[in-house]
Amino acid sequence: MEKKRIIVAVDGPAGSGKSSVSREAAVALNLKYIDSGAIYRAITWFLIKEYGTVPQGKGFSGDLAGLRISQVFKKDGFCNTYVGDTDVSLEIRNETIAKNIGKVSDDPGVREYVNGLLRSWARDNSIIMDGRDIGTVVFPDADLKVYLDASVDVRAERRYNEYLESGKNVDLNSIKKQIIQRDIEDTSRPFGALKTAEDAVVIDTSLLSKEDVIRTLVDLIAPL
Ligand code: CDP
């Protein structure tokens, strides 16, 4: 019998640990991990390259015509993100992108473009996809929806450590302010806002180790 395609949606705010636990659960279960936030980040990177900054109050649909964005999945679960032939995986993880991304992900035309791309990538694969609106908008019929949360302080500290580990010099207080600002943007956008799907399993990860969360996720997915 052919194996059924499984779609797992993992949503939650910035720094809730979605991407690392989704990636590792995907490796453990031989599923593909798709990072939807990286697409919004890649579009933001592209617009900054084109305009020097992300213009306020402009629709970006026109800029997306002919844009080629792809993710290459690797055995270790990581997926590299490309704009055309340029690997932007590292460059999209910086504060300038984080500060400007709200203007991009507020644009309904951009969201429609990204959602089409994400659905096409999932067509032939069993996947774990993380983001903000995966269980509510992109895959409302997902086999499993998980909402990961954590306190602002815990999320700020996680993000701070990530930046430090990648050799970036950052200030914890400014990271915390950014997280609060991102939460406001993420929960208030008219389309694709961050919210908990009614049928999501909600996990508060504030007091859990990464391994605990991965194990919980694997235990939820394995019987599907
Ligand atoms: O890693 P982190 O949680 O900080 O963010 P991300 O998953 O890389 O997403 C970055 C930003 O992309 C979010 O703050 C949203 O503005 C946007 N995004 C979105 O609008 N919808 C998604 N499904 C994923 C990301």
Side-chain angles (χ1 to χ4, degrees):
M1 203 176 76
E2 216 177 291
K3 220 165 164 279
K4 107 173 208 246
R5 182 183 71 139
I6 291 168
I7 305 283
V8 177
V10 179
D11 290 303
S16 56
K18 302 177 304 288
S19 53
S20 52
V21 300
S22 299
R23 182 171 55 242
E24 293 198 30
V27 171
L29 294 160
N30 203 18
L31 305 175
K32 273 189 175 163
Y33 164 60
I34 298 178
D35 177 355
S36 72
I39 314 304
Y40 290 97
R41 287 172 180 272
I43 295 171
T44 307
W45 176 90
F46 169 74
L47 292 170
I48 291 174
K49 188 167 72 72
E50 289 295 292
Y51 295 104
T53 182
V54 177
Q56 186 79 49
K58 178 185 182 311
F60 300 116
S61 306
D63 296 286
L64 302 179
L67 185 64
R68 244 182 339 115
I69 297 191
S70 54
Q71 278 185 345
V72 174
F73 310 98
K74 300 192 297 173
K75 277 264 173 292
D76 58 7
F78 281 90
C79 47
N80 285 3
T81 303
Y82 289 81
V83 175
D85 295 326
T86 310
D87 184 346
V88 296
S89 314
L90 289 179
E91 280 177 67
I92 58 177
R93 307 272 152 212
N94 69 38
E95 286 193 79
T96 312
I97 301 282
K99 279 187 191 135
N100 282 283
I101 200 163
K103 289 178 265 180
V104 177
S105 43
D106 275 353
D107 182 330
V110 170
R111 301 204 73 85
E112 211 170 295
Y113 169 89
V114 174
N115 292 348
L117 209 55
L118 294 172
R119 290 184 189 122
S120 75
W121 290 350
R123 200 163 293 141
D124 301 319
N125 298 292
S126 284
I127 54 133
I128 301 183
M129 187 181 290
D130 81 327
R132 301 292 188 285
D133 59 344
I134 308 305
T136 51
V137 176
V138 184
F139 291 110
D141 297 325
D143 299 278
L144 173 70
K145 300 176 189 177
V146 174
Y147 187 93
L148 292 186
D149 210 348
S151 70
V152 168
D153 283 314
V154 167
R155 291 188 285 122
E157 201 151 320
R158 284 179 188 159
R159 191 45 50 94
Y160 174 73
N161 288 329
E162 267 171 35
Y163 280 130
L164 282 191
E165 275 163 30
S166 62
K168 292 182 185 130
N169 189 12
V170 281
D171 168 59
L172 178 58
N173 220 19
S174 87
I175 298 287
K176 186 173 165 182
K177 281 195 192 134
Q178 253 182 55
I179 294 256
I180 293 170
Q181 180 56 33
R182 291 269 295 288
D183 283 357
I184 295 170
E185 289 171 5
D186 283 343
T187 52
S188 64
R189 71 174 47 93
F191 304 96
L194 171 67
K195 58 175 180 248
T196 316
E198 273 176 28
D199 48 352
V201 178
V202 179
I203 306 173
D204 186 333
T205 69
S206 303
L207 300 175
L208 299 177
S209 70
K210 191 169 102 181
E211 286 65 37
D212 290 335
V213 185
I214 294 167
R215 205 171 313 116
T216 308
L217 200 52
V218 168
D219 288 347
L220 286 166
I221 299 169
L224 294 177

